[in-house]
Amino acid sequence: MKFYMTPGSCTTGIHILLETLELPFEAWIVSIPAGDHLAPGYVAINPKSTIPTLVRDDGSALTEFQSIAWWLARTHPRANLLPTDAEGETRVLEVMDYVVGTLHGQGFARIFAPDKFATDRAQHEAVQARGREIVEQGFAIVDTQLPRLRELAGDFCIADAALFYVEFWAGHCGIDLPPNCRAHYERMRARPVVASVLREEGYR
């Protein structure tokens, strides 16, 4: 498989899942600042020009964090990355979708790319401030969901990979994590696979 990724981005979560499953893959770095995501070759693979993209062994491409994570879990059931019962699976997807769609898509997106939300540079500070509010509110919500997630999904599931990358961002943005999220982040950092992925991506 070919995995199109950007170190330190949301693709870190998928990278963790691939390494957890010990799957062989080629890593292709996509530099967003350099415009790699807009290059014709990449657009031909992923017309959305987004990351991550996973090109499977049959040559078909999967895009979007949630779909890639779900496919990895469903095609490798023995790894227990997703509960087999409907309630457990639903709750895992609920947390993962909220993390990717709201904390990332609405919160951190405003912090990292205010120009996508306001063309007037004078408004960028306000956009970023709103982003931080969304992120802090989002973590507070997820914090209440983590105990139940552990009951339903065990020690590690695909939602944990998603939550980790936004917790990682929070640390680099000076955003404090609530207690359950802080404990989750520390547990994730202690996992050998996560430590290895961060080293491979140039972080410590």
Side-chain angles (χ1 to χ4, degrees), residues 27-180:
W28 291 69
I29 304 300
V30 179
S31 173
I32 303 299
D36 292 351
H37 60 305
L38 302 175
Y42 188 70
V43 174
I45 297 169
N46 179 356
K48 302 172 188 176
S49 296
T50 57
I51 52 171
T53 298
L54 183 68
V55 178
R56 298 175 290 185
D57 291 335
D58 64 0
S60 62
L62 277 180
T63 63
E64 305 301 329
F65 186 102
Q66 299 97 312
S67 63
I68 295 172
W70 186 89
W71 179 80
L72 288 171
R74 273 285 160 257
T75 54
H76 300 85
R78 292 184 179 180
N80 297 317
L81 296 176
L82 193 61
T84 57
D85 64 293
E87 177 66 14
E89 180 174 6
T90 299
R91 293 304 184 182
V92 167
L93 295 178
E94 179 182 36
V95 172
M96 179 173 66
D97 288 350
Y98 182 66
V99 167
V100 177
T102 300
L103 272 85
H104 176 176
Q106 295 299 319
F108 280 108
R110 282 177 164 81
I111 295 172
F112 295 148
D115 56 298
K116 302 295 184 181
F117 296 86
T119 56
D120 184 354
R121 291 182 62 86
Q123 298 178 7
H124 287 184
E125 186 174 344
V127 168
Q128 291 176 315
R130 177 56 184 146
R132 293 180 73 90
E133 290 177 356
I134 293 171
V135 167
E136 290 169 356
Q137 292 166 0
F139 276 127
I141 290 171
V142 173
D143 201 65
T144 66
Q145 298 174 326
L146 280 176
R148 181 60 173 157
L149 185 68
R150 293 282 68 84
E151 292 176 8
L152 294 170
D155 183 57
F156 180 73
C157 66
I158 55 177
D160 293 301
L163 180 56
F164 174 75
Y165 82 75
V166 293
E167 290 170 338
F168 181 74
W169 288 351
H172 286 266
C173 292
I175 296 174
D176 292 331
L177 296 173
N180 289 330

